Every structure is written in C-alpha cells, then in structure tokens.
C-alpha cells in the first residue's frame, strides 16, 4: 500500500498515512485530486478505480471515506477488508466510533493504524492482538501519570 | 467534544480542537492557530522547565496544526526530548511527531537515531516496537545507514518477542525499499525464510511481506520459500473456520496470509518437486471448490475475504499458465462473476479475464463470454467498469470476432466518456489494422472512427493509416474513392486525408479540394499545398490553374510563415524547374520502412509500460505476417516477407528512378512526420526547401546509401532477450570491406538504427567517432554499446559508455580511442543493445572497420630502392598473391584513389609497365614496424587483376591481400 487517506463527506482530511516518500506539496496535490475524484462517485459504483499508475480502493463508512492506494499487483478485495478491519479496530477501541472520535483522538487513530499496518503491509491482523498492544500503552499511562488528568 | 476520552486524554488539546471546529471562517481559524502557536512558542522558550505531560500536549497540538495543513517550524527539539522519556505515551507522541514531521536537519537526525538506538537496546518490547515503527514510518537513507545491519539480528534472534519480530520484519522491508544496497540478508536468509514456519500467525503475516519483496529481487537465494509457502497455504486452506481463532475473519481462515502466500508463489515458476506441486494444485482446487459452496455468512466481509483469496489463486493459475484444467475452471468462475450483483466483483472479473485472454489455454473459453462483456460495455453504470469491459473486448479480440468487437467499440464511442475516448480510438485503430482481412473494411472502419470521434483521433492514428494506405497498392483505389466521396459531403473532419489520397479527373479533383481549402487548419493547408505541386507534376494541364492559386496574395503573402514559404517555393519550383527536374524532385517516396505501429506505441505510452504485453506485439506481427502472405501482391514483390513484417514493409522498395506510372494513384506528403527519417550524417546543412526536397526523395543518393531496405536482421519475435552479445551479422564482413579504403561513411543502417563513422589515424593510434541515430519516432531505452577485440592484445580500444536513452529521431555520438599493439587480422566487434518500449531487446553485433592498413605510413622511395627491398622480401611466406576478377570500375583515377585511401604511397615510375600500380608503406604497431610493398597489375581486356604483396611479416601479407582483393 502506498498511502491511506481518511476524509469526510465535506472533503476534510481526517487522517493521512504515507508509506512512500513524497514532498508535502505532492501529498497535498494527491489528496486534493483524490478527495475530489472519490467524492464525485455515486454510491452504487464500484470501490476500485485506476488512478495514475495506482489502484484506488475506497469505502464509505457513515460520514467518512477510507481510501487506500495500492500497487498494480496488490489485491483489491483484501484491501477493502484491510479498511474494514481498521474500522473494526477503531470501533472496538472507541466504542461505536464516529468521526468526532477520530478528530479529537487523532493520535490514537495513528497509533492503532501503526499497530495494524506498518510500512504499508499488514503487521498484525488479529483484532485482539492489536488492541492488546494499544491498551497496554493506556494502562502504562494510568499507572504512571493518573494525577495529571 | 466526545463524552469518552480514553487513556491519556489531554484536556487542553481537546479544547483547542473544539475551538478550531467552532471557527466560523478560515480567517478565524488562522487567528486561533496563530494565537496557539504564540502560546506554545512562549511555553517552549519560557524559563520554567516544562514537565513531560505539557511537552507532550504542546507537541501534540503542533502536530494537529500541521495535519490541518499549516506549516510548523519549531517544536522538533521538544519532540526529540520526548523520545527519551521513559513514559510510554510521551515517547509515543514524540515518535509520532517525528514520523510525520521529520526533516533532514542533520543535527536532529543524529539525536533521533540516538534515541532509537537506546530504545532498540532497551529490551523493553513496547519501546522497541515504537522505535521500529518510527524507522519504518520515516524510512530515510540515514536511518537505513544507522540500523539496516541491526534489524535482521533482532528479527531472527531467539529471544525476540513476537510483536517485535513483526515490527522488525516490516521495518526491514521499508528500509529495503528505500536503500536496497544497505540491507544485506546474507547469513540471515535461511532463518528469515523459516519465519514462514513460525507458530505465531502474526509473525508469518508480517514476515511474508518482507520475504516476497526479497524474493522478487533475489529469487534464487529465497527459492526454498516455495515449499514452505505451499505447506503453510495447504494447512490454512484445509483448516476448519474456527481453527485459527482470531486469525479467522468472518469464517474465512487467515485471508490476509493466504493472499500473501499466493502472491509469494507468483514470484516463482511452478514447483519442480512433484509432491509440492501436487499439494499446491490441490490447494488451488480447494479454493475453486469453496467458491461454489454456499456462503457461511451473508456479510459482505465474508464474501470479500473469500473472493480475495479466489482472485489471488486465479492470478497464480494465470501466472503458471500451464494447467489447462485450472485455467478453464478459473475462466468459468470469472464468467459467473461477470453477472454478479456486486459491482466490485464484476469489475474484478473483467480485469482478471483480461489476463486470462492472453493464455492459449483459456483464450477460447474467455471468448464465450463476449455477449456478456458487450452487454457490460453498454449497460454498466460505472465508467470504470465500462473501461474494464472495453479492455477485455480488446484483449479477447481475434480474427474470428474482430468485426463484431470493432463495431461494438465504435458504437460505444458515440456515447463514451470523454476520459476514455482517446484510448478507445487507439484501440479501435489497432484492432482494425491487426485483423484487417479486407482493406475496404479497414478503410471504412477508420473513416467511421474519424467521423465519430474526430477530435480524439491523435496524429499517430492518421499517420499510421496513411502509412498503410501508401504501402498497399490494392487498398489505394478504394481509399481514394471513399475519401473523395466523403469529401463531397462532409469535408471538415477529413482534412488530413486530402493531401494524401486522391483520384478522378485532375481539374475536378483539384477544384473540389481547393473549394475546402479555406475550411482547413494550417497544417492541413500545408499538406494541401504540397498536394498541389504534385498535381502540377502529375497533370501538367492543371499547372496554370494551380500557379494562379499559389500566386494569389492569400498564399504568397500568408501570415503563416510555413504556408507562405511553401507557396513561394512551390510557385518558383513549378515555373523554373524542367519537367524532368520536377518529376525527380516530386518522385514517389519509397514505401515506409517497416517499423512498429506508432499507435501501438502511443497506447503503451498512455497505459504505461507493461500494459501491452510483448506477446501481444509479437502476436500482432505474426497475424500481420499471415495477412501479408495471403494478400495479393504484385509479381515484383515475391520476396519472402520477414517474420516480423507487419502491415508495412510488405512491398520491396520501389526501384530508384522509377517514374510514377499509375498517375493519380496516390500522393505522399514529403513534410509529414510520418515520412522516413534519415539522418543527415554528418549533419547536412539544410538551408532551403530546394535542398530538403531531394533529400526527402533521394536520401540514399545524398547519403551514398543503397536504397534497398535492409532485411530485418534481428526480428524481435525470434531473438531471445539474451544478455550475451549476438554473433556478428552475416554481412558484417561486407560492411567492413566498404571501409578498407575510406574512413568516413555510414557503417550500418536498418529500419531502426543508423550508425555513421568518422575516423582518423596517426602512427599506431586512431580515433573513431561513432554516430548512432534513432530512426524511429520512439525512444530507445537501455541503449548500450560494447567493443570487444578478438585475439589477444592486438588492439586496445577504449570508449566511454553512451547515454542509455536515445530519443526518437535523435543521434548520439561515441568516441573510440584505438591503439594498435601488434598486427592483427580480426576486426574489433561492436555490440549494440537497446530496447524499445521495454520490449524485446535489440542485440546486434557489427565489425568495426578497423583494419590493419589503417596504421599505414606511406613511404616514398625510388625505383631502385623498391626493387632492392622487393628482393629482400623473397621468402615464400612473405609474399601473398591473388588473381581475381574486377568487381568495380577499372578506371585509373578510381584505382588511384582507392590505393591512396589504403594509406600507402603510390609510387610512379617504378614498374616498367605503366599500367601497373606499385605502392609502399610501413605499418606502425606499438612494438614493431612492418614494411609492405604492393603491386597491382590490371588486365583490362580480361577484366582481371593480379595483386602481389610482400611484407616483412607473413601474416600481414596474407591479411592485406585478403582485404584488398575485395576492393577492386
């Protein structure tokens, strides 16, 4: 996977993860272009499209679009399920996740993603194992700095 | 603000985010951000040392601001400080900031790397993971330099925790992608491969991505992974849906790992070991069987995961392309998907079938779905699905269904989305050409294409059409007639055809043409003017009318410089040139040399390399070859078409000087880019049209070349893309012989490449300039040349590598420095390799015209000296003699020029018989001087020569005698 973008129906970028080195300018350009392309598509259309020399796999969950760019030989359907598993992880962690959770706890969304995908490849697909790693971090926080909340 | 804020919720951050969200305008947002930045800056600069929590909170705010799209130019140091905190969440935020905002500030990189080093050696698995995540996220060269050698150790160490292994594997993968030279697996290879056997599914899932990437680059070193992957896959495929616990996803066991295993196997050919192969085929069959079973869940996740594995398995089956049974089953499965209610599956089925269509085992099976695919093209609501359908139709097209498919594509073009029209046009044009059985169909199709989608017909398409029409006598009549008729009714779209294809009564024809002149674009008008001058040549009765047209102000004073120049020069040409000159200047161009279809190239360029496979190319050539074989050709074209001949090049070149007998048959524009490109070598100064015209028509005359097109010397379809230099061409010696008595000229030329040479020699040293000209309109890639010298240490040739890219129409130069060490017989070999569009490698070897006589120093001597030395060289082996028939003119001046070109001194008044020629010279090698005497006795009556050579070295006598016997 080359990158993953989360954006709202209004086109606001909520999360961006880049697995290939690109300049900030290029990232902004890609984001603008893709957000526009994906938002213009109708609900019943297929979840895959060719874009530059990449394949875009996207899915909408409530107000959020999850959008991944994969390479030619990568599998579209399994990428769709990568997205779904990530949504499940967020959902499990936040409890009925909504867009606001991701806005206010953006750093958590990044941490969960890092436990699940690393360098653009699946690192751990077990929901239990990913959440264990994240909760451990939360626990370690409570044990050290409860007093600061 | 959400009610739940888990873990270490930072209140200040939440308030700030809330504020930003409540901003009514962009200006308000910027104001709020600037306020916050000022606040954070003052906190960071303040006297009071910040505690870890505050630091973390402010760094997190900065990160938020950056992710909103604003620039952040401070806070990096504070983030780096967080890295050395021993509180996990502080460290975590520090690493996140670094990962997102890293810049190549060298001072910081050193500090960051230090912190990472500490965490990696901390033995705290959560810290180690954080550090590895950071390396994987940043993935810079500096990090690769610092950690590439350390991570493999962590990956395979026995006491490393599973979670750390997972991070280490993918971290290494990222570093390998950025800096493959720094990641050396070496001794770790086997242990990394064995991670496929790891008990922990997460470790296998992470490791397999690394192994797949490494296998692609070093397949041999990693080939033991094949059997491990097969047995792992077999265990997963045969497991019950509950066996793998949390790695089962919606009743599908380990779908991610299964896909990756199948993907890894695609890096290798089918397993050679029968047992392994049997097991794998069993797996693939099981996967295909499962597709027919009723679903275990109605959830789309279940079917997606299951089908992801199925599609990956089908990719593997297509990759192997060796199991007809599996291929046909795959095709049937995809056929079911073509009518599935899920758009995603229809899309993927169309895409996957496209590759299946190119397998000989499944091509026919794919074709049975033609109606469904045509229906998809007509009814799919999503343009990206229609695009796939169009791709599949293109891929499944062959002789049997071409007419149907082309017709469907044409009718689709009428309503096609603008985004894909140009590509569709190219595809229609290619199919029409590739499968044209009768040319009237071809011409009709192309005319239709122009009618329907004129604006999307790129230049390449009409260039190509004209090339084809010009090279086929039998299609010209029909093409001309059809165009003429169209011209009467619908002129605007066919402008570009005018200039090329015409018939009928000359004046009527001219008047019709000219009546549309004002409707045409500038380039078309330029073509028309060229057509007019050809009218004058072919039909002198039109001369007065046309001259009048050319003379009028709108032509001769046209504001467009190109049109004005053409008008002026054509007018002048028509009035001052005699009919003979005019006929010569405007003589018909020879047919276009065979070359790859320019439209195929265009399509490839549009779709990126690999989109049009090499097999497809070969296929098209093969098809065209058959077609040519069956086509009705004139008696003078009985020569066997080369195996790679396409629609072009089916006629041998028109004989030089043959007048155009079939008046009115066809006119070629000399200025269009589609004409033969010949390189002026050395660059000819082209000042005016009058110089240009004859060059265009008689390039061979001007350049001193033979007009006969070279045979295709290394047909791309048959030459294996081998790395070894090809053996020298069969005519390499003949080419070499042309340069024995001269130093400059064109050494070699075929349809793709022209090689010119300029050389000079002094004593035992020489310098040669090689000019490589790309005659095609497309780039040559990986262009490389190598010079090798047969024989041991006889010649020393040094050269610099040439530019690897030669643009279409460009010429590049290479300089060779040559030193003659000792006398030699075999010429150095010049091997040239390049590829076009990343396709088949072109590989050819020539002999460089470096012959022993190039190192001659002429020696003047008196008659008595000559005979004295002649007698000294009287041992039988020192003399070489040959009697041979004259192959060239025996004219004295010609002979003298050749002998001087040889490099020797031509001695007068030596031989008692004035008809004979006597020469003397010394060959300079590095270690030796070799004296040579030559006597050439012509017998004009018998058209014979006797050539005698005496040299101080026997091998030289022999070699010179051989070389010279070819020259006279």
């Amino acid at each position: 996977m080359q990158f993953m973008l989360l954006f709202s129906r209004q086109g606001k970028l909520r999360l961006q993860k880049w697995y290939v080195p690109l300049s900030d300018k290029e990232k902004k350009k890609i984001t603008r272009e893709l957000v526009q392309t994906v938002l213009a598509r109708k609900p019943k259309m297929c979840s895959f499209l060719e874009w530059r020399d990449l394949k875009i796999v996207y899915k909408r969950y409530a107000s959020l679009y999850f959008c991944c760019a994969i390479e030619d030989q990568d599998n579209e359907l399994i990428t769709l399920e990568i997205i779904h598993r990530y949504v499940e992880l967020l959902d499990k962690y936040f409890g009925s996740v909504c867009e606001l959770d991701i806005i206010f706890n953006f750093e958590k969304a990044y941490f969960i993603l890092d436990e699940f995908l690393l360098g653009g490849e699946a690192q751990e697909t077990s929901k239990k194992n990913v959440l264990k790693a994240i909760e451990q971090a939360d626990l370690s926080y409570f044990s050290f700095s409860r007093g600061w909340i | 603000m959400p009610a739940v804020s888990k873990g270490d919720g930072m209140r200040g951050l939440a308030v700030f985010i809330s504020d930003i969200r409540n901003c009514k305008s962009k200006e308000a947002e910027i104001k709020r951000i600037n306020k916050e930045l000022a606040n954070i800056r003052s906190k960071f600069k303040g006297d009071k040392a910040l505690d870890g929590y505050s630091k973390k909170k402010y760094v997190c705010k900065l990160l938020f601001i950056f992710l909103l799209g604003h620039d952040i130019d401070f806070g990096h140091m504070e983030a780096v400080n967080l890295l050395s905190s021993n509180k996990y969440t502080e460290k975590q935020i520090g690493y996140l900031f670094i990962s997102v905002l890293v810049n190549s500030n060298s001072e910081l990189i050193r500090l960051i790397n230090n912190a990472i080093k500490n965490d990696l050696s901390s033995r705290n698995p959560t810290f180690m993971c954080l550090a590895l995540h950071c390396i994987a996220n940043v993935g810079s060269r500096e990090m690769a330099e610092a950690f590439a050698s350390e991570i493999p150790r962590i990956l395979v160490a026995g006491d490393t925790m599973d979670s750390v292994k997972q991070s280490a594997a993918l971290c290494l993968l990222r570093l390998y992608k950025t800096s493959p030279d720094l990641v050396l697996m070496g001794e770790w290879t086997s242990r990394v491969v064995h991670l496929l056997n790891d008990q922990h599914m997460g470790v296998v899932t992470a490791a397999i991505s690394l192994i797949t990437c490494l296998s692609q680059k070093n397949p041999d070193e990693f080939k033991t992974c094949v059997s491990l992957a097969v047995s792992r896959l077999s265990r997963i495929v045969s497991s019950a849906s509950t066996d793998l616990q949390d790695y089962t996803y919606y009743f599908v066991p380990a779908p991610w790992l299964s896909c990756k295993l199948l993907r890894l196997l695609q890096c290798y050919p089918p397993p050679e070991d029968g047992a392994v192969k049997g097991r794998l085929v069993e797996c693939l069959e099981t996967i295909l069987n499962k597709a027919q079973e009723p679903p275990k869940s109605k959830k789309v996740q279940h079917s997606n995961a299951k089908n992801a594995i199925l599609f990956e398995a089908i990719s593997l089956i297509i990759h192997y392309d060796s199991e007809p049974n599996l291929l046909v089953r795959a095709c049937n499965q995809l056929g079911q998907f073509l009518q599935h209610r899920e758009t995603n599956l229809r899309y993927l089925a169309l895409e996957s079938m496209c590759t299946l269509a190119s397998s000989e085992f499944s091509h026919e099976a794919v074709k049975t779905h033609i109606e469904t695919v045509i229906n998809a093209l007509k009814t799919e609501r999503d343009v990206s699905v229609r695009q796939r359908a169009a791709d599949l139709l293109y891929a499944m097209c062959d002789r049997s269904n071409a007419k149907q498919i082309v017709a469907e594509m044409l009718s689709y073009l009428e309503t096609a989305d603008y985004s894909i029209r140009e590509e569709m046009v190219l595809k229609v044009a290619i199919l029409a050409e590739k499968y044209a059985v009768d040319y009237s169909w071809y011409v009709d199709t192309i005319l239709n294409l122009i009618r329907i989608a004129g604006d999307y017909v790129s230049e390449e398409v009409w260039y190509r059409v004209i090339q084809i029409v010009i090279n086929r006598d039998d299609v010209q009549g029909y093409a001309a007639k059809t165009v003429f008729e169209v011209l009467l009714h619908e002129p605007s779209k066919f402008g570009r055809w005018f200039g090329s294809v015409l018939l009928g009564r000359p004046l009527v024809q001219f008047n019709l043409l000219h009546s549309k002149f004002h409707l045409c674009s500038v380039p078309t008008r330029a073509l028309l003017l060229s057509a007019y001058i050809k009218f004058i040549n072919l039909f002198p009765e039109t001369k007065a009318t046309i001259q009048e047209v050319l003379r009028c102000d709108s032509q001769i004073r046209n504001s467009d410089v190109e049109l004005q120049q053409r008008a002026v020069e054509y007018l002048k040409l028509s009035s001052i040139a005699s009919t003979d000159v005019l006929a010569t200047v405007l003589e018909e161009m020879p047919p276009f040399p065979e070359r790859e279809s320019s439209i195929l190239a265009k399509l490839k360029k549009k779709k990126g390399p690999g989109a049009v496979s090499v097999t497809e190319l070969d296929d098209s050539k093969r098809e065209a070859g058959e077609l040519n074989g069956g086509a009705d050709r004139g008696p003078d074209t009985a020569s066997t078409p080369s195996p790679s001949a396409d629609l072009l090049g089916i006629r041998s070149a028109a004989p030089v000087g043959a007048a155009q007998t079939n008046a009115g048959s066809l006119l070629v524009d000399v200025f269009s880019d589609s004409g033969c490109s010949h390189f002026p070598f050395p660059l000819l100064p082209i000042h005016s049209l009058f110089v240009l015209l004859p060059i265009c028509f008689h390039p061979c005359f001007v350049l001193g070349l033979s007009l006969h097109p070279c045979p295709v010397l290394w047909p791309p379809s048959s030459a294996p893309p081998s790395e070894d230099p090809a053996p020298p061409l069969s005519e390499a010696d003949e080419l070499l012989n042309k340069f024995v008595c001269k130093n400059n000229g064109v050494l070699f030329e075929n349809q793709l490449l022209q090689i010119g040479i300029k050389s000079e020699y002094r004593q035992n040293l020489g310098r040669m300039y090689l000019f490589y000209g790309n005659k095609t309109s497309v780039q040559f890639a990986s262009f490389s040349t190598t010079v090798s010298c047969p024989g041991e240490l006889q010649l020393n040739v040094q050269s610099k590598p040439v530019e690897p890219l030669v643009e279409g129409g460009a010429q590049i130069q290479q300089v060779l420095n040559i030193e003659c060490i000792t006398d030699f017989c075999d010429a150095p070999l010049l091997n040239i390799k390049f590829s076009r569009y990343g396709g088949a490698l072109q590989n050819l070897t020539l002999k460089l015209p470096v012959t022993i006589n190039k190192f001659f120093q002429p020696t003047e001597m008196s008659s008595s000296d000559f005979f004295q030395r002649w007698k000294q060289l009287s041992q039988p082996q020192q003399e070489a003699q040959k009697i041979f028939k004259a192959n060239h003119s025996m004219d004295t001046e010609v002979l003298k020029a050749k002998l001087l070109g040889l490099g020797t001194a031509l001695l007068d008044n030596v031989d008692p018989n004035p008809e004979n020629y006597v020469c003397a010279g010394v060959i300079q090698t590095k270690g030796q001087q070799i004296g040579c005497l030559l006597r050439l006795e012509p017998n004009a009556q018998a058209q014979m020569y006797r050539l005698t050579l005496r040299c101080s070295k026997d091998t030289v006598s022999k070699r010179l005698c051989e070389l010279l016997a070819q020259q006279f």
Side-chain angles (χ1 to χ4, degrees), chain B residues 761-766 794-796 818-824 850-859 902-904 920-932 951-953 956 960:
Chain B
Y761 294 87
R762 198 156 297 155
Q763 311 247 329
N764 70 322
L765 301 176
Q794 295 172 330
L795 279 174
N796 180 10
I818 303 158
E819 187 188 15
C820 177
I821 311 282
T822 169
D823 67 292
F824 63 95
V850 180
T851 44
I852 185 69
N853 63 294
K854 300 293 178 197
F855 304 96
F856 257 131
Q857 294 285 109
T859 318
L902 188 64
T904 51
V922 174
I923 287 173
Q924 306 272 351
T925 70
K926 193 180 177 192
Q928 213 180 0
Q929 297 198 337
I930 303 157
C932 303
C951 305
S952 54
K953 211 163 170 194
V956 176
L960 281 175

Side-chain angles (χ1 to χ4, degrees), chain B residues 451-607:
Chain B
R451 184 180 57 77
I452 293 166
D455 295 345
Y456 295 87
V457 176
S458 58
E459 304 219 311
E460 284 82 354
V461 173
W462 72 263
Y463 284 173
R464 182 67 179 168
V465 176
I466 288 173
Q467 281 179 28
I468 289 169
V469 171
I470 283 166
N471 282 19
R472 299 276 325 185
D473 283 335
D474 47 346
V475 69
Q476 285 162 10
Y478 183 78
K481 194 163 147 267
T482 317
V483 173
F484 188 76
E485 276 161 14
V486 171
L487 198 52
L488 284 169
H489 307 295
E490 219 179 335
S492 58
K493 288 180 183 163
F494 297 93
R496 270 136 178 213
W497 278 69
F498 298 175
S500 300
V501 189
L502 291 167
L503 91 173
R505 280 161 301 167
L507 260 178
V508 175
Q509 201 184 104
F510 173 77
N511 287 334
L512 174 65
L513 255 191
H514 194 60
S515 68
K516 317 290 182 198
F517 188 89
H518 65 284
L519 299 171
C520 298
S521 63
V522 169
T524 308
R525 288 187 200 187
L527 293 184
L528 282 172
L529 290 178
S530 298
Y532 294 174
I533 185 77
K534 291 177 215 168
F535 262 95
I536 296 181
N537 174 39
L538 294 171
F539 315 106
E541 67 267 34
T542 62
K543 184 169 169 177
T545 318
I546 291 175
Q547 280 184 333
E548 208 165 297
V549 167
L550 291 174
R551 206 177 286 125
C552 75
D553 275 359
S554 63
Q555 307 295 358
I556 212 159
R557 291 185 214 282
N558 195 294
S559 61
D560 185 275
V561 71
E562 177 69 37
L563 294 181
Q564 190 188 98
Q565 186 169 1
R566 286 195 190 209
V568 169
E569 302 206 10
Y570 288 154
L571 183 60
K572 201 76 185 159
L573 185 65
S574 68
S575 47
I576 62 169
S578 69
T579 42
D580 282 355
V581 171
L582 202 61
T584 312
V585 169
L586 296 172
E587 190 179 333
E588 187 182 353
M589 288 276 279
F592 293 97
E594 190 231 320
R595 71 161 88 126
E596 188 168 306
S597 162
S598 51
I599 44 177
L600 209 50
K602 168 100 176 180
L603 181 66
K604 271 184 265 186
K605 207 161 144 194
K606 268 190 81 70
K607 299 285 277 181

Side-chain angles (χ1 to χ4, degrees), chain A residues 1 12-22 24 27-28 41-50 52-53 55-56 58-59 61 71-86 88 92-95 98-108 110-130 132-142 144-145 148-149, chain B residues 1-2 4-10 13-15 17-18 21 26 29 51 53 56 60-61 63-64 66-67 69-71 86-89 92-93 96 99-100 126 129 132-133 136-137 163 166-168 170-171 173-174 177-178 200-203 205-206 209 216 245-250 255-256 259-260 263 300-305 307-309 311-312 343-345 347-348 351 381-385 387-388 391 607:
Chain A
M1 190 185 295
K12 287 242 183 214
L13 190 60
R14 296 302 181 203
L15 181 140
Q16 45 176 321
K17 189 78 188 177
W18 305 87
Y19 297 111
V20 283
L22 290 168
D24 285 343
K27 286 178 188 172
K28 281 185 181 161
R41 291 176 64 83
K42 297 190 184 77
K44 283 283 172 191
M45 285 187 166
C46 106
S47 311
F48 320 123
L49 53 126
E50 281 186 334
R52 300 193 184 176
D53 54 345
K55 300 195 281 198
I56 302 297
Y58 73 93
K59 187 160 181 179
Y61 287 86
E71 282 150 63
D72 191 45
Q73 72 272 19
D74 292 335
N75 188 311
E76 290 96 338
L77 285 175
I78 209 72
T79 308
L80 214 44
E81 294 319 298
I82 290 247
I83 293 175
H84 188 73
R85 172 109 305 178
Y86 181 49
E88 284 184 346
K92 187 96 177 166
Y93 181 78
F94 290 108
C98 66
E99 191 183 339
L100 283 180
D101 291 317
I102 296 172
I103 297 172
F104 280 93
N105 301 283
F106 70 96
E107 81 283 9
K108 291 289 177 202
Y110 279 98
F111 297 148
I112 295 171
L113 187 58
D114 269 356
E115 292 294 337
F116 175 41
L117 297 179
L118 193 58
E121 301 286 340
Q123 174 176 219
E124 177 56 86
T125 60
S126 151
K127 209 163 24 172
K128 250 185 243 165
N129 289 352
V130 172
K132 208 161 65 189
I134 295 291
E135 313 246 299
Q136 237 170 17
D138 286 343
L139 283 178
S140 75
Y141 178 80
F142 277 115
F144 287 113
S145 35
W148 287 106
I149 297 177
Chain B
M1 210 185 306
V4 189
S5 184
K6 290 202 50 164
D8 58 331
M10 288 170 276
L13 175 66
V15 170
I17 295 174
S18 243
R21 284 178 54 75
K26 195 79 193 162
E29 183 185 307
D51 58 70
Y53 170 79
K56 179 182 82 169
C60 212
K61 280 181 181 176
L63 187 57
F64 180 80
F66 177 79
L67 290 170
H70 302 269
D71 288 337
N86 55 8
K87 292 201 181 84
Y88 185 80
T89 52
Q92 208 179 15
I93 295 288
L96 180 60
S99 305
V100 175
T126 48
C129 282
L132 289 167
H133 291 180
N137 282 326
S163 60
Q166 287 166 276
S167 299
L170 293 174
C171 183
L173 170 62
R174 176 70 198 266
K177 283 182 181 166
T178 358
H200 191 279
M201 291 285 276
V203 172
T205 307
S209 296
Q216 281 167 338
Q245 294 162 357
D246 211 31
Y247 290 92
T248 295
Y249 180 84
Y250 292 86
W256 285 281
C259 284
K260 286 185 174 204
R263 171 88 198 94
V300 68
Q301 283 75 27
H302 171 71
S303 75
N304 278 351
N307 292 327
I309 299 173
F311 275 105
E312 207 60 64
T343 314
N344 288 345
L345 286 179
Y347 176 94
L348 294 174
E351 184 183 60
R381 272 191 281 168
D382 185 347
V383 56
S384 45
V385 185
Q387 165 98 60
R388 289 287 83 83
D391 286 350
K607 299 285 277 181

Side-chain angles (χ1 to χ4, degrees), chain B residues 332-385:
Chain B
N332 292 340
Q333 183 59 56
L334 294 177
Q336 285 181 23
F337 284 155
L338 285 182
Q339 316 208 41
H340 202 280
R341 60 188 169 80
E342 277 273 332
T343 314
N344 288 345
L345 286 179
R346 295 198 303 274
Y347 176 94
L348 294 174
L350 288 166
E351 184 183 60
S352 196
M353 252 196 195
C354 236
T355 43
L356 213 47
S358 60
S359 163
E360 53 171 314
F361 300 113
S362 47
H363 183 78
E364 288 304 316
V366 170
K367 273 167 62 185
T368 59
H369 299 287
I370 185 165
E371 297 303 333
T372 318
V373 182
I374 287 172
N375 198 38
L377 186 66
K378 286 178 176 162
T379 59
E380 281 289 350
R381 272 191 281 168
D382 185 347
V383 56
S384 45
V385 185

Side-chain angles (χ1 to χ4, degrees), chain B residues 653-714:
Chain B
V656 185
Q660 190 171 8
T661 47
N662 184 10
S665 70
L666 138 114
L667 299 160
V668 185
D669 184 77
V670 294
F671 298 101
S672 85
D673 295 346
S674 56
C676 330
S677 54
H678 284 277
F679 291 89
F681 163 75
L683 291 169
L684 292 168
I686 297 172
H687 294 305
S688 90
L689 205 59
F690 286 100
V691 180
L692 189 59
L693 276 169
I695 292 173
C696 289
F697 283 102
H698 282 304
C700 307
F701 172 73
V702 174
L703 299 173
L705 305 173
S706 144
L707 230 173
H708 295 289
C710 295
V712 178
L713 297 164
W714 62 102

